């Protein structure tokens, strides 16, 4: 017999089954964020000219921009990438037209060998264009860009040399490059040189060895001696201190190791993604949107780090085999998106042309602090699309259809009178159109089911009466 405690447990189980997962975004919050994203991106498209790309918002809310021809700039791919995301979401040809108009000016970067940031520039723009249209011209540009990126690979150290613009660095490895690797992984599988895959994987392994700390946190920069490959220093560039953890850099590591596992299925990459993600999650505040640096005394939230991390976790939880970790990664991503879709971070009602508020670009340099950032908007939109694809909205229950008014019975059509047969060949009259062949009947003959129902009811009442006297 089930006691009170047992019934309480059953009731609790029923309640849990009824409410579903512990963390789930409201469809209304996603819909509002997606509608607002469309409004903001359409407004930015109308107010800017293709070839001049948004980067961060100015005090008045308008965009600070970067030209397509800026070879050192790294953000030009994110605005066309956001437009492609809306084309993928809606299927509306108008978004494709806008996306193509903003993608094509970046072709000027395809032979750029001055930077590691070609993945950022080309995968959101030309990569999405080829994936969604299949046009060969987009693929050709991607392969050229991948060749340019591969030219920066240093085989002695096993890294892609970040850049040439900082005189204090000789052969720098930075955490951001982990996301740029996708261009090489993709190209090696789509007509490019197979060794590009090996270059990208070796870069990821070197990053894991030299840039990820034992506790899963990350440095920003590791610099090497070009002749010997010896490490010169491990430092920060945009973080609080050399031994601190810059949160967007940690999010880049989460995203980069996860995509590297997607392409290679190398278990070392899955383990790396877990390590850097577990560290990130262990340092989060209640609203799951981190400070710009986990160890900085100055407080300034960075919504861009949260957007990147949310998107990374929504992919990582699909690869995770441990059910506890899998659920933790998914729930953490949902918590981040719950905050980012709230009025605390969504730019609704502000003067910002961006989608998210409270991003931090480079606080130590005093640049882009508490602003909207185009890359934060891009990864936020990507995270929303990933969540929506993994959790399709539940259609609302349909309203019951009210019964239609009964149709009044039609007056029976009298049978046509039989024609007089010729006297020499008498023919019996045919039945009228409303009569069946043979004798017409009524009562039980007209509805044989009625007899069965009557017999059943009689048997029920007899048995009921007899049971009273037992």
């Amino acid at each position: 017999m089930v006691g009170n405690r047992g019934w309480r447990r059953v009731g609790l189980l029923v309640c849990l089954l009824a409410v579903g997962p512990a963390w789930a975004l409201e469809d209304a919050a996603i819909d509002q964020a997606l509608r607002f994203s469309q409004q903001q991106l359409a407004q930015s498209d109308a107010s800017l000219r293709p070839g001049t790309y948004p980067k961060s918002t100015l005090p008045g809310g308008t965009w600070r921009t970067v030209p397509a021809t800026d070879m050192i700039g790294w953000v030009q791919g994110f605005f066309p990438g956001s437009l492609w995301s809306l084309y993928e979401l809606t299927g509306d040809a108008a978004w494709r037209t806008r996306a193509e108009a903003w993608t094509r000016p970046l072709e000027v970067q395809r032979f750029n060998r001055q930077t590691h940031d070609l993945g950022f520039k080309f995968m959101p723009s030309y990569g999405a264009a080829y994936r969604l249209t299949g046009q060969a011209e987009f693929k050709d540009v991607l392969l050229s860009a991948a060749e340019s990126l591969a030219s920066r690979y240093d085989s002695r150290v096993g890294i892609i040399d970040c850049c040439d613009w900082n005189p204090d660095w000789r052969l720098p490895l930075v955490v951001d490059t982990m996301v740029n690797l996708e261009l090489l992984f993709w190209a090696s599988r789509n007509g490019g040189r197979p060794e590009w895959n090996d270059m990208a994987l070796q870069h990821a392994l070197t990053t894991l060895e030299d840039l990820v700390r034992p506790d899963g946190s990350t440095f920003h920069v590791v610099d090497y001696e070009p002749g010997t490959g010896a490490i010169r220093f491990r430092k920060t560039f945009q973080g609080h201190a050399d031994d601190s953890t810059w949160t967007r850099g940690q999010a880049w590591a989460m995203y980069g190791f996860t995509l590297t596992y997607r392409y290679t299925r190398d278990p070392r990459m899955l383990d790396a993604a877990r390590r850097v993600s577990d560290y990130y999650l262990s340092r989060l505040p209640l609203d799951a949107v981190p400070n710009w640096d986990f160890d900085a005394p100055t407080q300034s939230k960075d919504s861009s780090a949260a957007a990147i991390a949310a998107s990374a976790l929504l992919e990582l939880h699909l690869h995770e085999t441990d059910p506890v970790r899998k659920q933790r990664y998914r729930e953490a991503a949902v918590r981040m998106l719950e905050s980012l879709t709230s009025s605390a971070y969504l730019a609704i009602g502000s003067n910002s042309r961006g989608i998210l508020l409270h991003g931090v670009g480079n606080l130590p340099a005093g640049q882009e602090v508490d602003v909207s950032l185009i890359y934060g908007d891009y990864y936020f939109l990507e995270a929303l699309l990933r969540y929506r694809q993994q959790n399709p909205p539940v259609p609302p229950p349909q309203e019951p259809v009210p019964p239609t008014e009964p149709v009044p019975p039609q007056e029976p059509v009298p049978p046509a009178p039989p024609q007089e047969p010729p006297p020499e060949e008498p023919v019996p009259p045919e039945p009228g159109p409303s009569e069946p062949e043979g004798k017409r009947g009524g009562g039980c003959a007209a509805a044989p089911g009625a007899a069965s129902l009557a017999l059943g009811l009689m048997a029920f009442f007899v048995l009921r009466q007899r049971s009273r006297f037992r």
Side-chain angles (χ1 to χ4, degrees):
M1 194 169 180
V2 182
N4 289 337
R5 181 177 297 179
W7 285 116
R8 282 197 297 269
R9 289 176 178 170
V10 172
L12 177 59
L13 177 60
V14 171
C15 290
L16 289 173
L17 291 173
V19 299
W23 290 95
L25 275 172
E26 293 289 339
D27 287 337
I30 300 176
D31 291 341
Q32 175 182 253
L34 291 174
R35 284 195 304 271
F36 179 65
S37 298
Q38 293 181 62
Q39 294 169 12
Q40 295 295 86
L41 290 168
Q43 185 180 39
S44 295
D45 168 69
S47 62
L48 298 173
R49 160 175 70 82
T52 304
Y53 294 84
K55 182 183 182 185
S56 58
T57 50
L58 296 164
T62 57
W63 286 112
R64 175 185 284 110
T65 59
V66 179
T69 53
D70 186 340
M71 297 294 160
I72 305 303
W74 64 281
V75 303
Q76 293 100 315
F78 295 116
F79 185 69
S82 299
L83 299 175
W84 283 116
S85 291
L86 290 183
Y87 172 60
E88 182 175 13
L89 172 70
T90 66
D92 186 342
W95 289 114
R96 174 175 173 171
T97 300
R98 292 179 176 124
E100 288 197 21
W102 285 89
T103 294
R104 293 184 187 282
L106 291 179
E107 186 175 355
V108 70
Q109 295 272 349
R110 67 191 295 183
F111 301 116
N112 179 5
R113 300 193 171 199
Q114 301 177 41
T115 179
H116 67 137
D117 283 323
L118 296 178
F120 283 138
K121 296 180 185 185
F122 282 98
M123 289 310 294
S125 57
Y126 276 86
Y130 180 65
R131 178 172 59 85
L132 295 173
T133 71
Q135 292 180 210
E137 59 181 307
F138 296 129
K139 178 181 178 180
D140 293 342
V141 172
L142 288 166
L143 293 175
S144 296
E147 186 172 18
S148 298
L149 179 57
S151 72
R152 298 195 63 84
Y153 183 74
D154 186 285
S155 58
R156 178 187 296 271
V157 180
I159 66 164
I160 293 168
D161 182 351
C162 156
C163 41
D164 306 321
W165 51 264
N166 191 325
D168 296 330
W169 299 346
R170 296 183 183 173
L171 182 56
L173 163 70
V174 299
V175 69
D176 320 38
T177 309
M178 282 300 304
V179 183
N180 289 286
L181 297 180
E182 185 169 14
L183 179 58
L184 294 179
F185 283 130
W186 179 89
S188 69
R189 290 158 175 77
N190 289 274
R193 293 164 56 188
E195 56 264 37
W196 293 346
N197 175 83
D198 302 334
M199 293 176 183
L201 179 57
Q202 184 56 57
H203 178 100
L205 290 169
T206 305
T207 300
L208 177 59
E209 178 70 23
D210 293 345
L211 189 140
V212 179
R213 301 182 182 114
D215 64 356
S217 63
T218 54
F219 293 98
H220 187 181
V221 184
V222 180
D223 195 41
Y224 300 89
E225 192 63 53
T228 64
I231 294 177
R232 296 181 63 233
F233 57 73
R234 293 179 173 92
K235 289 187 176 182
T236 192
F237 183 71
Q238 288 167 264
H240 166 63
D242 292 342
D243 59 353
S244 71
T245 301
W246 174 49
T247 52
R248 191 164 72 248
Q250 191 76 16
W252 289 140
M254 295 165 63
Y255 197 102
F257 283 120
T258 299
L259 76 84
T260 300
Y261 178 73
R262 184 209 315 157
Y263 279 97
T264 66
R265 299 295 166 172
D266 188 317
R268 295 170 294 182
M269 297 298 98
L270 179 59
D271 183 64
R274 289 167 174 157
R275 284 177 55 194
V276 296
S277 297
D278 289 347
Y279 181 84
Y280 184 97
L281 296 180
S282 74
R283 301 293 304 272
L284 286 182
L286 287 177
D287 72 350
V289 179
N291 193 33
W292 68 281
D293 187 296
F294 283 127
D295 304 293
T298 54
Q299 293 297 304
S300 187
K301 295 278 195 177
D302 184 13
S303 59
S304 74
I308 297 161
S311 189
L313 290 169
L314 285 172
E315 178 176 356
L316 178 58
H317 99 278
L318 297 178
H319 302 310
E320 181 54 65
T321 55
D322 177 74
V324 175
R325 260 203 176 107
K326 185 182 189 75
Q327 183 70 5
R328 184 167 78 246
Y329 293 155
R330 181 192 177 279
E331 290 183 354
V334 172
R335 286 169 53 208
M336 296 169 196
L337 290 179
E338 282 184 328
S339 289
L340 295 178
T341 56
S342 73
S343 58
Y345 293 95
L346 205 60
I348 292 177
S350 74
N351 66 355
S352 174
R353 293 286 176 87
I355 299 170
L356 290 179
L357 300 171
H358 310 311
V360 176
N362 189 343
L363 191 144
Q367 298 173 358
E368 301 166 342
V369 179
D370 196 18
V371 295
S372 296
L373 298 165
I374 190 60
Y375 44 92
D377 291 353
Y378 170 81
Y379 287 103
F380 174 60
L381 193 53
E382 180 184 74
L384 288 177
L385 265 62
R386 284 181 170 180
Y387 181 85
R388 177 55 63 83
Q389 289 163 358
Q390 296 169 17
N391 305 271
V394 178
Q398 293 186 351
E399 293 291 330
V401 179
T404 56
E405 291 294 327
V407 179
Q410 299 285 334
E411 289 293 329
V413 179
Q419 295 181 356
E420 288 292 334
E424 64 275 13
E425 294 183 7
V427 178
E430 295 183 359
S434 61
E435 295 180 341
E437 294 287 345
K439 182 179 179 180
R440 297 188 66 195
C444 292
S452 300
L453 178 61
L455 289 172
L457 289 172
M458 289 172 63
F460 169 75
F461 284 115
V462 169
L463 291 173
R464 183 179 180 188
Q465 292 297 327
R466 289 180 60 189
S467 66
R468 292 181 178 177
F469 297 101
R470 290 180 180 174

